[in-house]
Amino acid sequence: MDTSESVNAVPDTVSEGSRSCQRLRNQSGFWLLGLCNNFAYVVMLSAAHDILKQQESQNTTLPTPAPGLQQSNSGNSSNSSRYDCNPVSTAAVLLADVIPTLLIKITAPFFIHKVPYGDVLSGWGSGTGGAGVAGALMYSALTQAGLSPRVTLLVMLLVPVVMAISYFILLVFPPSFLQWKTRETQPSLSSMAEQSRERRPLLQEDDDSIHKEQNKEAQQTGPLTFSDKLHILKGLRRFILPLALVYFAEYFINQGLLELLYFRNARLSHAEQYRWYQTLYQIGVFISRTSLYCIKIKKIWWLSVLQCVNAVLLFFSVYYQFLPSVWLVFVIVLYEGLLGGAAYVNIFYMIHAETGEDEREFAMAAASVGDSFGIALSGLAAFPVHSHFCSL
């Protein structure tokens, strides 16, 4: 009896240390996954103007002018416009980025609970939060330092490599992955407790107390049915609609209007102005997303209204060109990012606080459709606006 107890005491100690190591590896792995996932998205949006400019230069062929005729423009064929337009709006890059995301977000809430990783939301959230500033700032800084946009984007090809390394090497795959089970064994109490932790939902809060976890599982009535999920979606409309509206307004600004806000007398070129617009927006988002500890905003509709006011202001500023300086636009764009980040973090905080624990994971995943839906609509709306202004 004593021997068996002493033998069992060692594995328990080793198991606890192993769990701590696995938790650290998974937190680090999901931090890198979050960083890499949003990093590429932000870089592509920051590089949208450069990508389209490069594409235009490759596709443009200058025909030999007929005798007696002179070519009016030797560069961008659309430079005759006062807006120095590219033939295609930067919203094209936005839609290429966001449509796959939207499709995933629409379907993921119905199966994401089967992913067995627990204990990793903070790592993922921190990584995605830092990716916006890191991606936009790095792209702007490297191009400002003299690297061509093409070389800068080629440097970014290291990001998928880091993502693959973090997934296949850094992460510790839980035993609940069926493909990792080599034989059927009778589970011990410690292994059952470990698997219970690993099967916890992605969006469940971290809690190291096994007793609390067991109490939570005992209170659950079972998995949500399809009708339950539809009922939850109806209750989420008051969160999804303002989230979609605030993201529609800010991405209509970012990918529909900012490329048209070009100040010819500024020291920065058109492409440089656009890059720093995107960078300052991401800085504003990062600041406000980390402000939840200081201030909580319950009247989220006001954030949507203020963002729409920004969109209207910048729309008329594009048309009438009454803003005197690019630096004033920089301030407005930073403020725009603050509103967008505040809306996002406060909406999800309210969902987390007001939904039951058995509904929370699905509710937060489903509500995230709102931002992607608003972004997709803004991309579609930006095309006719771009065509109209560039024809003036």
Side-chain angles (χ1 to χ4, degrees):
M1 179 71 68
D2 294 339
T3 304
S4 62
E5 289 178 355
S6 62
V7 170
N8 290 333
V10 175
D12 288 341
T13 303
V14 174
S15 178
E16 182 62 30
S18 176
R19 281 198 295 269
S20 299
C21 180
Q22 291 178 9
R23 189 179 303 117
L24 177 61
R25 289 179 59 180
N26 284 338
Q27 287 281 5
S28 302
F30 270 86
W31 185 87
L32 285 173
L33 288 174
L35 178 72
C36 295
N37 180 74
N38 282 28
F39 192 92
Y41 173 81
V42 171
V43 167
M44 292 301 291
L45 294 183
S46 299
H49 189 274
D50 294 323
I51 292 172
L52 296 173
K53 198 80 169 179
Q54 179 70 20
Q55 185 67 31
E56 179 199 7
S57 65
Q58 292 178 353
N59 293 340
T60 300
T61 56
L62 297 178
T64 303
L69 296 179
Q70 298 295 327
Q71 192 75 17
S72 60
N73 283 316
S74 60
N76 186 347
S77 60
S78 58
N79 275 345
S80 58
S81 167
R82 59 179 176 173
Y83 299 106
D84 189 39
C85 299
N86 283 323
V88 180
S89 169
T90 52
V93 177
L94 174 67
L95 288 176
D97 266 351
V98 78
I99 287 178
T101 303
L102 179 61
L103 295 177
I104 293 296
K105 285 188 175 182
I106 289 174
T107 57
F110 295 94
F111 65 82
I112 196 65
H113 59 281
K114 296 184 181 295
V115 179
Y117 283 103
D119 213 13
V120 295
L121 177 60
S122 59
W124 173 267
S126 175
T128 55
V133 175
L137 188 60
M138 182 174 294
Y139 181 81
S140 297
L142 290 177
T143 51
Q144 196 76 26
L147 267 68
S148 68
R150 175 182 174 84
V151 173
T152 304
L153 289 176
L154 289 176
V155 171
M156 303 301 175
L157 291 177
L158 291 173
V159 173
V161 177
V162 175
M163 179 176 274
I165 292 174
S166 64
Y167 183 80
F168 290 106
I169 297 178
L170 189 56
L171 289 184
V172 180
F173 287 88
S176 49
F177 273 5
L178 295 178
Q179 62 266 34
W180 292 90
K181 290 185 177 180
T182 57
R183 66 178 184 271
E184 294 295 330
T185 58
Q186 184 67 26
S188 63
L189 292 177
S190 60
S191 64
M192 290 175 65
E194 175 66 15
Q195 290 191 16
S196 174
R197 288 174 55 84
E198 289 162 347
R199 291 176 184 272
R200 289 168 61 188
L202 281 174
L203 297 179
Q204 185 172 321
E205 290 183 332
D206 183 23
D207 186 357
D208 292 330
S209 174
I210 297 178
H211 294 294
K212 288 185 179 180
E213 179 64 28
Q214 290 173 346
N215 291 336
K216 292 174 184 176
E217 293 180 353
Q219 293 172 359
Q220 290 181 346
T221 58
L224 295 174
T225 64
F226 185 76
S227 59
D228 292 334
K229 294 178 179 180
L230 292 180
H231 179 73
I232 295 172
L233 286 175
K234 291 181 180 179
L236 289 174
R237 286 179 295 183
R238 65 190 181 99
F239 298 114
I240 294 177
L241 291 178
L243 184 65
L245 182 59
V246 75
Y247 269 81
F248 170 83
E250 65 190 70
Y251 275 86
F252 179 75
I253 293 171
N254 291 352
Q255 266 63 50
L257 299 178
L258 291 185
E259 65 173 320
L260 304 175
L261 281 169
Y262 171 43
F263 294 83
R264 296 180 182 271
N265 296 328
R267 298 170 60 182
L268 300 174
S269 68
H270 192 179
E272 290 170 341
Q273 291 176 35
Y274 179 83
R275 293 176 205 139
W276 287 108
Y277 289 151
Q278 303 300 320
T279 301
L280 288 169
Y281 163 76
Q282 294 294 343
I283 291 175
V285 169
F286 179 75
I287 293 173
S288 58
R289 283 196 182 186
T290 56
S291 67
L292 189 63
Y293 296 104
C294 303
I295 183 172
K296 296 178 177 62
I297 302 173
K298 293 185 177 180
K299 296 181 179 180
I300 53 178
W301 273 106
W302 279 108
L303 299 173
S304 302
V305 171
L306 290 173
Q307 198 70 289
C308 290
V309 171
N310 277 346
V312 172
L313 170 66
L314 291 177
F315 178 86
F316 282 106
S317 70
V318 169
Y319 189 83
Y320 293 106
Q321 297 184 324
F322 57 79
L323 292 179
S325 169
V326 67
W327 298 103
L328 180 57
V329 181
F330 284 165
V331 174
I332 295 174
V333 170
L334 180 65
Y335 167 65
E336 173 212 345
L338 291 172
L339 289 178
Y344 184 91
V345 72
N346 282 279
I347 284 174
F348 280 98
Y349 172 78
M350 292 176 65
I351 294 174
H352 183 276
E354 296 182 14
T355 54
E357 187 167 347
D358 56 338
E359 301 174 350
R360 185 176 300 151
E361 178 182 2
F362 175 79
M364 294 182 71
S368 68
V369 175
D371 60 353
S372 296
F373 183 72
I375 293 171
L377 286 181
S378 70
L380 295 175
F383 280 101
V385 173
H386 179 273
S387 299
H388 172 73
F389 281 117
C390 292
S391 65
L392 297 178

